[in-house]
Amino acid sequence: ALIPIIETIIFCGEQEISLRGNDDSGPLNLAKPPKKDGKFRALLRYRANFGDENLKNHLINSNRNSTYISPSIQNEIIDICGQLIRKNIVTKINKADCFSILCDETLDVSGTEQLSMCVRYVDQNNQLREDFLCFLPVYDLTGENLTRIILEECEKLGLDLNKLIGQGYDGAGNMSGQFNGVQSRIRQIYPKAVFVHCASHRLNLALSSALSTKSVRNCLGVMKDIINLFRNNALAGETLKNSILELIPETKKTRLVGLFSLQNIQETDRAISAKACSLLAAVEKSCFIISLLVCENLLSFTLPLSHYLQSPKRDLSSAVDYAKHIIKRLKHMRQNSNESFTQIFQEASKLSKMYFDTEIKIPRTTNKQNYRDNYSCNSPEEYYKISVFLPCLDGFILHLENRFEQNNDILSSIEILLPKFALEKNVEKLKNLTIYFEDKISEKNIASEYLLWCEKWKNNEETPTDIMAILDSCNSTFYPNINHLLRVLATLPVSTTEVERSFSTLKRFQNKNNKMESPTFIKPQIEEMYEQRETNFTVADEEEKIHEEQIRIINQKIKKIKDKKKQLKFNYEESQYTLYKSELSIRNYLNSLQKQLESLNID
């Protein structure tokens, strides 16, 4: 009878369905209740009424205190699910050659700082995986405390930290600090654990710095205000939809279709007309149109890299290569800046004429100006090229180079394993990788194995570029150490996007349930929902084993509850007996005292 209850809780977890209702205590009545008692009890009722006789008999005939559907039992079962999920993941991690940890923290809706911890590894089936492990409540964000929490949790989970070869965090000082940050403290204990600053954060920081010029910053601020205006006002949003259908009914996207909506709403609603008028005046300026097109042009180059950094099969070497391709293209644009900006300027002139019936103009200049660009130019094209285009382009190239040149020391050494760099002259660079194989094989043997690896690709015209394809082509029996080093390269952290996804799961869960849930209750439920690919309990070769383990642990929990009830009952009976004896002694004493008084013949 417990199996249907367990399966129902697992089903709710997989489908991200909250369990509780307004009245979910007491025995479960199979008739429809007057008040909603939660989806969990409703599913049990539906299951019992439509064919599950074992569950129906259990709910009808069980004692009030042994139905095993109370909130506390639900929490116990959810906690067991979390333990089984973690155990399955940790087993896979410990079977892998190496792994990296990915961490980041966020403030949840209850005001508690939650540290999300994920792992990246290559499993026994040569599949690159990033799995969520847990949320940890954090109250002290110093590097020392975070290091202690992370290492203690790894030891508690049973991870083999001797296989730790990478750390992936954001650029905050407490995480990435060179002396007192988490990465430096962990690397002092585990020297192989290389720190890699999240590539997505690096790209974002490079863009933020490059697009911080005054005109571009103002342009992006105006665009944000326009988006919020249409998003937060029903009339404005409806006007935007009608404008889209009227102007471009075949598509859902356009560049400046919102401008017509601004013109339509500036005279319709007094509450937003002033805001619409001010935004329309800002959009009509030449500087805004030029800045918008410059941003569009630059961001179009980084969009593929942004998508790649969110893919599950990304690797550090490819990410850095793609960043170098972007830098190379941007430098080409810089060398041909006249032709590049001429195209942007012509498009801006066309848009300005089409939407506002105006020409691109130079803003008013004076002999002395402290708060805006005051270049002396002969044409608007030259002015905006100097004041907007070149500063953004130069800054973007500079910051991309500075941000993505990190970890070049380890990459330049380990990239010699890739087929395109597998050359006999690079054999000396293997010395830089000694830390990864010194406890397994001598440097001379690894050098011989590397020369055989170079021979494999010497006359091969079709060489794979994807790290997992290269790993598949590396026979682990003939090239055991090369295979291990390739797994190290694949396991090195790239970005913390998996951690960011766990934050989204945490936010969804806490919005649907009580915001003040304790972190110890949140953790197993998040694990159950977030690890859907693990929580079916039908994992190909371990379905029966996991099911038996699940029933065994639950039976142990039930036995503990029964033993506790017996102990409480015994203690209660013992206390009642003691109280009875005390009462009897008092009565005997009062009787003896009364006899003594009677013997004294006191009237």
Side-chain angles (χ1 to χ4, degrees):
L2 283 176
I3 293 178
I5 297 173
I6 297 168
E7 290 177 345
T8 302
I9 292 177
I10 293 173
F11 173 80
C12 291
E14 290 176 349
Q15 303 303 321
E16 301 186 13
I17 300 174
S18 57
L19 276 68
R20 309 292 166 73
N22 297 330
D23 184 15
D24 57 355
S25 60
L28 178 62
N29 191 346
L30 296 183
K32 186 175 181 180
K35 295 182 179 180
K36 293 183 178 180
D37 55 357
K39 298 179 179 64
F40 169 65
R41 293 166 73 92
L43 286 170
L44 289 180
R45 184 181 298 109
Y46 175 82
R47 188 165 183 165
N49 287 331
F50 290 91
D52 196 330
E53 295 297 330
N54 290 333
L55 177 61
K56 186 175 182 179
N57 294 332
H58 170 73
L59 296 175
I60 294 175
N61 301 323
S62 296
N63 294 330
R64 184 186 179 95
N65 59 354
S66 59
T67 56
Y68 304 109
I69 61 173
S70 66
S72 60
I73 296 297
Q74 294 173 31
N75 292 352
E76 289 279 353
I77 295 174
I78 292 171
D79 188 40
I80 293 167
C81 292
Q83 294 175 17
L84 292 172
I85 293 168
R86 284 194 297 269
K87 182 179 179 181
N88 189 22
I89 294 174
V90 170
T91 300
K92 291 180 180 180
I93 296 170
N94 288 335
K95 287 182 180 179
D97 285 4
C98 51
F99 69 93
S100 298
I101 57 174
L102 311 172
C103 294
D104 201 357
E105 67 273 351
T106 187
L107 195 68
D108 65 15
V109 292
S110 67
T112 303
E113 197 78 26
Q114 298 284 350
L115 179 71
S116 177
M117 195 160 117
C118 299
V119 285
R120 177 183 171 92
Y121 62 99
V122 179
D123 64 14
Q124 295 297 301
N125 299 322
N126 275 3
Q127 296 295 319
L128 185 60
R129 298 181 62 90
E130 286 189 357
D131 289 334
F132 170 80
L133 283 179
C134 60
F135 280 112
L136 301 171
V138 179
Y139 304 98
D140 181 5
L141 295 178
T142 60
E144 181 180 2
N145 183 62
L146 291 175
T147 303
R148 178 185 60 80
I149 290 175
I150 292 172
L151 293 180
E152 285 181 356
E153 187 64 21
C154 289
E155 293 176 1
K156 179 181 176 182
L157 293 172
L159 293 174
D160 185 1
L161 290 175
N162 292 319
K163 295 182 178 181
L164 178 62
I165 56 93
Q167 307 174 67
Y169 315 124
D170 59 15
N174 59 344
M175 302 298 290
S176 62
Q178 186 176 358
F179 301 104
N180 295 317
V182 172
Q183 65 92 7
S184 62
R185 291 177 180 273
I186 291 181
R187 198 167 186 185
Q188 289 174 6
I189 306 173
Y190 303 100
K192 291 188 288 187
V194 177
F195 166 65
V196 178
H197 185 187
C198 171
S200 294
H201 283 84
R202 281 188 271 178
L203 178 61
N204 184 56
L205 290 170
L207 284 169
S208 299
S209 300
L211 302 179
S212 61
T213 57
K214 187 176 298 183
S215 56
V216 174
R217 185 185 64 224
N218 293 342
C219 169
L220 296 177
V222 170
M223 289 300 299
K224 182 178 179 180
D225 290 339
I226 293 174
I227 292 171
N228 290 333
L229 175 66
F230 289 115
R231 179 180 294 168
N232 301 329
N233 188 279
L235 176 60
E238 188 64 25
T239 305
L240 176 62
K241 293 178 183 177
N242 294 335
S243 299
I244 292 176
L245 293 175
E246 179 182 351
L247 296 173
I248 43 170
E250 297 85 6
T251 182
K252 296 182 179 179
K253 297 181 181 180
T254 185
R255 178 180 291 137
L256 294 175
V257 71
L259 301 181
F260 290 102
S261 302
L262 288 176
Q263 295 171 354
N264 293 335
I265 65 176
Q266 65 179 339
E267 297 178 358
T268 57
D269 192 318
R270 293 181 59 185
I272 60 172
S273 60
K275 185 71 173 177
C277 288
S278 62
L279 291 175
L280 184 60
V283 168
E284 291 176 349
K285 293 182 179 179
S286 301
C287 186
F288 174 88
I289 300 175
I290 294 289
S291 299
L292 183 64
L293 294 179
V294 168
C295 290
E296 180 193 28
N297 197 276
L298 294 181
L299 293 176
S300 63
F301 288 107
T302 62
L303 183 61
L305 179 59
S306 178
H307 288 165
Y308 176 76
L309 294 177
Q310 298 176 56
S311 66
K313 303 302 181 183
R314 60 194 180 277
D315 66 89
L316 185 60
S317 176
S318 298
V320 174
D321 281 345
Y322 293 149
K324 290 179 179 178
H325 296 164
I326 295 173
I327 294 171
K328 185 176 180 180
R329 185 59 198 174
L330 293 175
K331 287 183 176 180
H332 176 77
M333 184 186 293
R334 182 63 176 86
Q335 293 174 355
N336 301 276
S337 57
N338 291 334
E339 294 82 357
S340 301
F341 185 71
T342 297
Q343 296 179 359
I344 296 175
F345 186 80
Q346 290 175 354
E347 188 173 1
S349 301
K350 181 180 178 180
L351 291 174
S352 180
K353 185 69 175 176
M354 180 189 302
Y355 288 106
F356 309 116
D357 196 22
T358 59
E359 301 290 339
I360 298 295
K361 300 177 182 179
I362 300 176
R364 183 177 60 87
T365 59
T366 60
N367 293 331
K368 184 178 181 181
Q369 179 59 255
N370 295 326
Y371 299 105
R372 61 183 173 86
D373 300 325
N374 197 39
Y375 301 106
S376 178
C377 300
N378 297 324
S379 66
E381 180 177 348
E382 184 181 0
Y383 174 84
Y384 287 110
K385 173 187 170 184
I386 296 174
S387 63
V388 179
F389 179 67
L390 292 182
C392 289
L393 184 57
D394 292 339
F396 195 25
I397 294 173
L398 177 63
H399 289 290
L400 273 180
E401 288 180 332
N402 291 339
R403 297 284 181 184
F404 281 90
E405 71 179 3
Q406 301 172 13
N407 306 114
N408 275 348
D409 51 347
I410 182 66
L411 273 181
S412 61
S413 300
I414 205 167
E415 277 184 340
I416 64 173
L417 303 172
L418 301 178
K420 61 181 178 180
F421 299 118
L423 303 173
E424 295 180 5
K425 64 179 182 180
N426 291 330
V427 69
E428 294 297 326
K429 293 184 179 181
L430 289 172
K431 295 179 180 178
N432 300 328
L433 305 176
T434 305
I435 191 173
Y436 296 111
F437 60 79
E438 60 184 353
D439 55 342
K440 295 183 178 182
I441 194 172
S442 66
E443 186 176 333
K444 184 176 181 180
N445 289 338
I446 190 68
S448 300
E449 190 175 316
Y450 178 73
L451 292 176
L452 293 174
W453 177 250
C454 295
E455 193 67 28
K456 172 183 174 66
W457 302 106
K458 182 177 292 184
N459 298 319
N460 197 331
E461 296 181 357
E462 297 182 359
T463 57
T465 56
D466 180 71
I467 184 63
M468 300 312 298
I470 297 172
L471 189 58
D472 290 337
S473 64
C474 180
N475 188 294
S476 59
T477 303
F478 194 78
Y479 305 106
N481 299 290
I482 298 297
N483 186 279
H484 172 70
L485 292 176
L486 286 173
R487 289 177 182 271
V488 170
L489 176 58
T491 306
L492 286 175
V494 183
S495 66
T496 58
T497 52
E498 197 72 13
V499 180
E500 302 292 340
R501 292 188 184 103
S502 71
F503 293 157
S504 301
T505 304
L506 175 65
K507 183 177 180 181
R508 290 201 309 271
F509 172 79
Q510 288 191 317
N511 281 343
K512 292 192 295 184
N513 294 273
N514 189 350
K515 294 181 181 179
M516 297 306 293
E517 293 283 11
S518 64
T520 56
F521 177 58
I522 290 172
K523 180 164 64 174
Q525 293 201 41
I526 291 294
E527 288 161 350
E528 182 178 1
M529 293 190 301
Y530 183 74
E531 292 294 336
Q532 291 187 22
R533 54 181 176 270
E534 301 293 342
T535 54
N536 292 326
F537 293 98
T538 55
V539 182
D541 55 342
E542 298 185 5
E543 176 182 3
E544 186 175 352
K545 184 192 301 184
I546 291 177
H547 185 72
E548 292 175 356
E549 180 74 6
Q550 176 185 11
I551 298 299
R552 185 184 66 81
I553 295 176
I554 290 175
N555 287 334
Q556 289 179 353
K557 295 285 184 180
I558 293 172
K559 185 176 181 301
K560 288 182 180 180
I561 293 172
K562 289 182 176 179
D563 293 342
K564 189 174 181 180
K565 288 173 64 177
K566 289 181 181 179
Q567 183 65 33
L568 290 173
K569 184 177 180 181
F570 174 77
N571 293 340
Y572 174 75
E573 292 175 350
E574 186 176 9
S575 62
Q576 289 290 94
Y577 178 71
T578 304
L579 182 61
Y580 170 75
K581 289 178 62 178
S582 301
E583 184 180 356
L584 186 62
S585 299
I586 293 172
R587 286 181 179 177
N588 292 336
Y589 174 74
L590 290 175
N591 290 335
S592 63
L593 185 61
Q594 185 176 1
K595 290 180 180 180
Q596 292 177 11
L597 291 174
E598 291 175 353
S599 65
L600 293 175
N601 295 324
I602 297 175
D603 295 332

